[in-house]
Amino acid sequence: MPLIALRPLLDYAAANNFGVAALNVNNMEQIQAIMEAARATQSPAIIQASRGARKYTNDLFLRNLMQAAVELYPEIPVVMHQDHGNSPETCISAIRMGFTSVMMDGSLEDDGKTPSSYEYNVAVTREVVNVAHRFGVSVEGELGVLGSLEHGMGEKEDGHGAEGKLTLDQLLTDPDQAVDFVNRTGIDALAVAMGTSHGAYKFSRKPSGDVLAMSRIEEIHKKIPNCHLVMHGSSSVPKELCDIINANGGRIKETYGVPVEEIQRGIRAGVRKINVDTDNRLAITGAIRKAFTAKPEEFDPRYYLTPARAAMQAVCEERMKQFGQAGHAKKVPHVTLEQMARDYAAGKYGDNARPDTVVGKKAK
């Protein structure tokens, strides 16, 4: 099956009450791990790459690795998603390289670290929608700034994230503003801020409602029940993965992630896309460290990358089952990008999702 857009997958997930793990990649082994997990569980897959990953891998390598994935696993519906695009230019370059879904993170200015104004966010996100929907490509937007409700600081990873102290208004997506944002931009999915952050060090204790505001997701869902919500920074940071790293020379400090049961609560409240990266990084790193400890004389990359790939696959399989996407691969509608472009233009996904007559026209 060719790569598909994000929207029909999330529409199907909503109709069947499950979420989909969105898994970040940088290299061949990670793509292989995801695809093997998807085949083992018969799950649709969202594979995403950040700007940093695109720079590390090179777009041509990444595009051809993804093409190999869909050829080798024809039964698996796959979305190729740009994670945290910092500008319309980044998103448009992703579309040119074959991405079928892009995220315009207008919550920050194009430097990827300065919180933006609301009107700036609306304008740049709408600009991306105007271009992307013409080509049948889906768009995720973000409202609110990712950061910690424990200490009020922004988070930065892979060169992207707010710097410095943030206000509570910035750290929590406003439900009423979310309604206006979705109406004015015509996005297909909305990432919300509610206390999650990127990286391993999300919480200093098991999170409760004061630092992980799941109730905010529920409020937003009540206001815009037909909008697909996205949870970023949603790795669970399992202690057993950290222990493997530390038992083999690592120094991961005590930390807590987003409990799976809280993600499942979010899925019941309209969350359809759940971003997971750190858990896979921990699994890979632990397996590599363990392999080096067992045979320090080894130097063949296949010796340590094979168990690393298997460890990531195990995490992916577990999340696919926990989020409810397992068993749905063959049932996801296959809608070509050409048909998606026609559907956007015809208003199938709402008048606000139609591209403007003149590209670049600002949303009203």
Side-chain angles (χ1 to χ4, degrees):
M1 180 183 292
L3 293 166
I4 64 170
L6 181 68
R7 181 62 181 261
L9 172 56
L10 298 192
D11 284 350
Y12 175 81
N16 291 276
N17 302 306
F18 67 87
V20 185
L23 305 158
N24 288 71
V25 297
N26 302 281
N27 60 22
M28 179 185 74
E29 286 78 12
Q30 289 178 303
I31 294 173
Q32 290 172 327
I34 294 168
M35 296 307 295
E36 281 295 308
R39 174 169 282 172
T41 61
Q42 281 299 291
S43 296
I46 302 173
I47 298 180
Q48 55 188 27
S50 65
R51 284 184 295 140
R54 290 176 62 190
K55 180 179 179 181
Y56 173 83
T57 309
N58 184 289
D59 278 348
L60 285 175
F61 278 114
L62 186 61
R63 182 176 68 184
N64 284 287
L65 285 170
M66 289 300 301
Q67 187 57 44
V70 297
E71 289 181 16
L72 290 168
Y73 301 82
E75 76 279 18
I76 304 299
V78 181
V79 175
M80 184 177 177
H81 180 75
Q82 164 73 61
D83 193 20
H84 285 288
N86 65 313
S87 67
E89 291 75 21
T90 294
C91 293
I92 291 168
S93 72
I95 294 168
R96 286 178 175 147
M97 292 307 300
F99 284 71
T100 56
S101 177
V102 295
M103 178 193 185
M104 178 60 234
D105 183 0
S107 69
L108 303 176
E109 294 181 6
D110 62 6
D111 62 5
K113 61 182 180 181
T114 305
S116 68
S117 69
Y118 177 66
E119 291 302 325
Y120 171 89
N121 194 354
V122 170
V124 295
T125 304
R126 181 62 196 178
E127 182 179 345
V128 171
V129 167
N130 276 331
V131 175
H133 283 185
R134 289 174 181 273
F135 296 94
V137 172
S138 302
V139 180
E140 174 188 338
E142 180 168 318
L143 186 60
V145 181
L146 293 183
S148 172
L149 290 173
E150 278 194 90
H151 48 66
M153 298 296 290
E155 53 73 37
K156 188 171 186 177
E157 185 177 74
D158 204 15
H160 188 97
E163 294 183 348
K165 196 84 169 177
L166 298 169
T167 66
L168 192 61
D169 286 344
Q170 291 172 317
L171 289 166
L172 289 171
T173 300
D174 179 85
D176 291 322
Q177 197 172 64
V179 175
D180 182 70
F181 186 78
V182 171
N183 286 338
R184 292 174 64 186
T185 59
I187 54 174
D188 299 286
L190 176 67
V192 297
M194 25 63 76
T196 59
S197 58
H198 295 145
Y201 301 104
K202 302 179 189 298
F203 306 104
S204 64
R205 55 182 168 83
K206 184 175 179 179
S208 53
D210 59 328
V211 295
L212 180 61
M214 297 304 298
S215 60
R216 184 56 59 106
I217 287 178
E218 292 162 343
E219 292 176 51
I220 294 168
H221 182 56
K222 287 178 182 177
K223 296 271 188 179
I224 43 175
N226 296 320
C227 179
H228 304 308
L229 303 181
V230 182
M231 285 178 64
H232 279 245
S234 292
S235 283
S236 298
V237 194
K239 183 177 183 298
E240 59 269 24
L241 295 182
C242 297
D243 288 345
I244 292 171
I245 293 173
N246 290 342
N248 291 278
R251 294 181 181 177
I252 302 294
K253 296 179 289 185
E254 183 178 13
T255 182
Y256 296 82
V258 182
V260 169
E261 59 267 25
E262 295 295 340
I263 296 172
Q264 292 168 335
R265 175 183 172 184
I267 291 169
R268 292 192 293 272
V271 171
R272 298 296 161 226
K273 177 174 177 281
I274 305 101
N275 287 17
V276 176
D277 186 14
T278 292
D279 287 352
N280 288 329
R281 293 183 179 190
L282 292 171
I284 288 170
T285 300
I288 290 173
R289 283 187 172 276
K290 189 174 180 180
F292 283 152
T293 299
K295 289 189 176 182
E297 71 277 11
E298 273 288 354
F299 57 89
D300 184 344
R302 293 170 296 182
Y303 166 72
Y304 53 85
L305 289 177
T306 298
R309 182 174 57 195
M312 177 171 165
Q313 179 183 337
V315 171
C316 293
E317 287 187 28
E318 186 176 35
R319 296 294 176 269
M320 289 170 176
K321 293 173 183 176
Q322 290 167 332
F323 298 166
Q325 70 201 78
H328 285 279
K330 293 180 181 179
K331 306 170 190 175
V332 175
H334 174 221
V335 185
T336 66
L337 294 188
E338 291 77 15
Q339 184 60 51
M340 286 296 298
R342 290 192 290 269
D343 289 343
Y344 282 128
K348 178 178 178 178
Y349 298 105
D351 287 340
N352 60 343
R354 294 175 189 257
D356 292 336
T357 303
V358 179
V359 176
K361 176 183 175 183
K362 291 185 178 180
K364 295 181 179 179

